Amino acid sequence: MSTIYWEEELETLPRVGLESIQLKRLQALIGRVYEAVEPYRQKMIAAGVKPEDIKGLEDLKKLPFTTKEDLRENYPFGMFTMELDDIVRVHASSGTTGKPTVVGYTKKDIDTWANMMARALACAGATRGDMVHNAYGYGLFTGGLGAHYGAEKLGATVIPVSGGNSKRQINIMRDFGSTILMSTPSYALNLADAMDQMGIDPASLSLRVGIFGAEPWSENMREEVENKLNIKAVDIYGLSEVIGPGVAQECLTSSGGMHIFEDHFLPEIINPDTGEPLPQGERGELVFTTLTKEAFPVIRYRTKDITSLHYETCNCGRTLVRMEKVTGRSDDMLIIRGVNVFPSQVEHVLMGIEGVEPHYQIIVEREGTMDSMTVEVEVSDSLFTDEIKGLEQLTKRITRDIKDILGVSCRVKLVNPRAIQRSEGKAQRVIDNRKI
Ligand code: DLL
């Protein structure tokens, strides 16, 4: 099978050519950000580095890291490099406390993003003849609109179905002849179950490829979803701070790993404890510097995702580096039904409620194909002896506040004072029983 490219020349550049583009773009970026963004300038001054010190790609390591914390401190728009007049769109994702991380795009950024997503789709074998069933959520989450603009750019037909209402999704798939499914891998499994319940044989549909991401998924899960939906399943990676989906995409060959679109997103792997860059091929935390974004570039942004990078040319012909499947995170972020959840956010909600003790545990399970989250929390002695009605109201209030603030539904279980095991060291706040 011949490879489908979107921008063949750029996707197959010899490394010297690629590195020369990266360096030119990096130098321009650092100069611009140093002038335009106070928090970046301050951090560079504190680190004793000036734009003219970036003479080669190896000088990247002289630059200070950027973290979610920096974005939170400059919430909402303090890290933008342009006036709001030039910003045509914002998206947001969960922050470590109540405040989301806000990202902005100029017209050109939206176009760059669409181009990256068109590349990702082509990398997964999509062409203008495809019917793209986009079940990523539309809204502040970057999944829906990111995939949408990319599929349109490619010239394919997009069905902007968004998430939820599985039966309707399957009817649409059957009637419209969807050929490519884009969703989280867990939602794809959910669709497979719904198909089964409706007595629809996936082999009778036109689905060919699934482009799944936004949460970790294993090779076992790939096998399951491929068998259940009778498709080829490929991985897509991205994060809002870098652009959204379309940072890296797995191709259809079996070389393994996702091609990072390196001419736009410069990757590094560091030791998450020391911050030191790791040698090629070693597993560590992925860090990105965006080379072409206008409104909201990031310099050495710590993704907290654990992976490794592989530079050998792929069987598909692309020279772009491949990142292995994300194997974990260096922080405690959970992804529940596609929503990023930090235990600290749950704590933040609980601590705002009277009668609730600072002892809680988050239990995550996979029920069938869906994630479920239960929050067990201790209540004060006085409340516990209170009448049932008061406890019921409290349960409802916590459930509602978590849903409103974190955007995820959960079960809340109030437990006796001192029922949650006390730890002698780090409290174990999360019990993740999902086997993905
Ligand atoms: O999840 C963007 C996206 C949308 C990617 C649709 C792919 C498809 P955020 O909401 O900012 O953005 O969450 C980013 O999700 O740091 C990873 O921890 C996780 N993640 C994203 N893709 C994958 C993947 C979108 N393929 C965070 N495998 C990232 C594992 C992933 N984890």
Side-chain angles (χ1 to χ4, degrees):
M1 193 179 65
S2 67
T3 303
I4 299 168
Y5 296 102
W6 178 244
E7 294 172 299
E8 179 167 356
E9 199 190 323
L10 292 169
E11 295 174 58
T12 56
L13 270 180
R15 194 133 288 271
V16 259
L18 178 64
E19 287 183 354
S20 123
I21 293 180
Q22 288 175 325
L23 180 60
K24 252 191 237 135
R25 290 181 169 174
L26 177 68
Q27 287 169 329
L29 166 86
I30 301 301
R32 191 166 69 84
V33 165
Y34 190 83
E35 289 303 314
V37 190
E38 184 64 22
Y40 274 125
R41 187 172 44 247
Q42 290 308 334
K43 282 182 88 162
M44 282 173 64
I45 291 171
V49 50
K50 292 218 175 68
E52 53 272 25
D53 297 333
I54 308 302
K55 297 196 171 70
L57 286 176
E58 64 286 355
D59 296 323
L60 184 64
K61 60 175 182 292
K62 294 182 178 159
L63 295 163
F65 291 115
T66 308
T67 61
K68 234 183 182 21
E69 190 62 21
D70 292 315
L71 307 187
R72 197 169 67 83
E73 276 169 17
N74 295 288
Y75 173 86
F77 309 135
M79 303 282 273
F80 289 7
T81 64
M82 331 251 309
E83 297 297 323
L84 286 179
D85 278 2
D86 296 311
I87 310 287
V88 299
R89 176 141 23 114
V90 290
H91 281 280
S93 77
S94 309
T96 43
T97 62
K99 279 185 189 163
T101 302
V102 184
V103 300
Y105 306 78
T106 60
K107 267 205 175 100
K108 184 160 170 251
D109 291 331
I110 295 285
D111 199 52
T112 305
W113 188 13
N115 221 19
M116 292 305 98
M117 269 310 302
R119 255 195 210 182
L121 278 147
C123 191
T127 66
R128 58 197 302 277
D130 274 298
M131 181 68 78
V132 177
H133 189 101
N134 185 15
Y136 283 118
Y138 281 65
L140 283 176
F141 174 54
T142 50
L145 284 168
H148 183 107
Y149 275 59
E152 277 188 359
K153 182 99 182 172
L154 184 75
T157 312
V158 200
I159 313 173
V161 63
S162 198
N165 202 341
S166 304
K167 278 198 175 139
R168 189 182 63 146
Q169 299 244 1
I170 290 158
N171 287 332
I172 288 176
M173 244 177 220
R174 184 193 53 206
D175 300 345
F176 296 10
S178 311
T179 53
I180 307 250
L181 170 62
M182 301 187 79
S183 72
T184 59
S186 53
Y187 190 61
L189 281 176
N190 200 17
L191 285 173
D193 275 4
M195 250 177 230
D196 193 39
Q197 278 160 23
M198 291 163 77
I200 291 180
D201 175 6
S204 69
L205 302 177
S206 311
L207 274 189
R208 189 178 85 242
V209 174
I211 305 179
F212 303 133
E215 63 185 10
W217 54 305
S218 59
E219 286 304 327
N220 289 344
M221 199 154 156
R222 188 203 302 267
E223 215 180 296
E224 198 178 336
V225 77
E226 285 190 336
N227 290 338
K228 283 190 166 168
L229 284 175
N230 190 39
I231 55 171
K232 169 101 185 135
V234 287
D235 202 353
I236 182 167
Y237 171 86
L239 64 162
S240 321
E241 295 86 334
V242 171
I243 206 159
V247 174
Q249 171 69 49
E250 190 175 32
C251 62
L252 292 173
T253 70
S254 49
S255 314
M258 293 172 267
H259 291 284
I260 297 178
F261 301 143
E262 289 178 86
D263 45 338
H264 294 264
F265 315 113
L266 184 59
E268 295 172 83
I269 296 285
I270 60 159
N271 175 328
D273 300 322
T274 63
E276 283 304 311
L278 288 174
Q280 268 190 25
E282 275 191 37
R283 199 175 272 169
E285 182 181 333
L286 181 61
V287 170
F288 275 111
T289 301
T290 60
L291 297 175
T292 51
K293 261 184 8 169
E294 286 187 334
F296 179 72
V298 286
I299 297 173
R300 303 195 84 200
Y301 184 74
R302 294 190 58 164
T303 66
K304 307 279 178 179
D305 291 319
I306 304 293
T307 184
S308 59
L309 298 181
H310 303 274
Y311 286 86
E312 315 78 53
T313 300
C314 180
N315 293 337
C316 73
R318 286 180 181 81
T319 47
L320 299 168
V321 67
R322 275 167 292 143
M323 59 182 268
E324 77 168 322
K325 249 184 180 315
V326 174
T327 54
R329 288 191 52 92
S330 64
D331 65 4
D332 52 2
M333 186 179 89
L334 294 162
I335 305 184
I336 313 278
R337 294 190 295 274
V339 182
N340 302 349
V341 174
F342 289 92
S344 55
Q345 289 176 299
V346 174
E347 179 169 312
H348 198 72
V349 171
L350 294 175
M351 292 309 99
I353 299 174
E354 211 183 321
V356 168
E357 295 289 304
H359 301 292
Y360 65 93
Q361 218 156 33
I362 300 167
I363 299 148
V364 191
E365 241 129 5
R366 179 148 284 172
E367 293 173 3
T369 59
M370 293 294 275
D371 300 328
S372 76
M373 176 168 107
T374 305
V375 178
E376 285 190 356
V377 59
E378 286 182 18
V379 291
S380 60
D381 279 311
S382 58
L383 246 173
F384 211 74
T385 50
D386 213 357
E387 38 181 284
I388 297 282
K389 206 164 134 234
L391 294 174
E392 272 173 3
Q393 269 169 359
L394 185 62
T395 308
K396 272 199 194 130
R397 153 107 199 261
I398 300 174
T399 314
R400 194 192 56 222
D401 283 5
I402 290 180
K403 171 80 189 161
D404 286 352
I405 295 168
L406 278 69
V408 68
S409 335
C410 69
R411 242 176 255 139
V412 171
K413 208 166 135 197
L414 301 182
V415 296
N416 294 340
R418 288 165 295 281
I420 289 175
Q421 202 185 355
R422 302 291 188 260
S423 73
E424 283 164 7
K426 240 170 150 12
Q428 197 192 0
R429 295 294 189 205
V430 179
I431 302 176
D432 195 340
N433 291 326
R434 289 175 295 188
K435 289 189 184 55
I436 53 170

